[in-house]
Amino acid sequence: MMGNKFLSFAALSGFISVAFGAFVSHGLQYEFSEQQINWFDIAWKYHTFHTVALLALGWFISATMPQNAPKCRQTAVNIIGFSWLLGILLFSGPLYTMAVLGTCSIAMFVPVGGMAFLFGWATLLVVSVRSSFARRAMR
């Protein structure tokens, strides 16, 4: 069930990413200023990259589901996945809005989204390092 959640989020996010990319490249690219295109490009790149990361996380969960993962791994995966989702919403979302509206009025959310991305990656690092040390200790 947990894997399906992140696979579903990745599918929805991927759909939105492709739709936004097509919308701008085929509809608004000539109406946007250089700054608006830059905001959109940054938003789209981070959105797409983290969609792929969510997809990989969902695949990982699906592949390891039969192993009855410990509760701490499930918690860590949820923290990672939801941090990346929050990052997409609070980093890419405001940048998309800024691009479409041509305003910086919601720019204060962008660093919060960036911190959410970083928190997810830092959690993945900690979990990976702990897992590596635990395997070595068991030998």
Side-chain angles (χ1 to χ4, degrees):
M1 194 64 105
M2 186 168 52
N4 293 340
K5 174 176 42 185
F6 289 118
L7 288 175
S8 296
F9 288 144
L12 177 61
S13 184
F15 179 88
I16 292 169
S17 176
V18 171
F20 282 6
F23 178 68
V24 169
S25 67
H26 296 294
L28 295 177
Q29 71 183 23
Y30 300 111
E31 295 184 32
F32 277 8
S33 69
E34 188 174 326
Q35 180 61 61
Q36 287 171 291
I37 291 289
N38 186 50
W39 286 331
F40 179 85
D41 189 50
I42 293 168
W44 188 83
K45 285 177 183 173
Y46 276 81
H47 180 179
T48 302
F49 180 83
H50 285 89
T51 295
V52 173
L54 281 172
L55 183 62
L57 188 65
W59 281 340
F60 168 79
I61 296 165
S62 292
T64 60
M65 232 183 251
Q67 297 176 5
N68 291 326
K71 184 71 174 157
C72 61
R73 184 189 321 165
Q74 293 174 1
T75 300
V77 166
N78 279 326
I79 290 170
I80 294 164
F82 285 116
S83 293
W84 290 341
L85 280 169
L86 188 62
I88 290 170
L89 292 172
L90 293 178
F91 183 88
S92 296
L95 284 172
Y96 285 138
T97 304
M98 289 165 52
V100 171
L101 299 179
T103 180
C104 294
S105 63
I106 58 170
M108 67 276 212
F109 293 107
V110 175
V112 177
M115 293 302 292
F117 283 146
L118 290 172
F119 187 74
W121 288 108
T123 303
L124 179 59
L125 175 64
V126 168
V127 169
S128 299
V129 169
R130 278 188 177 172
S131 177
S132 176
F133 283 129
R135 277 194 300 268
R136 284 189 206 149
M138 295 173 102
R139 290 182 193 169

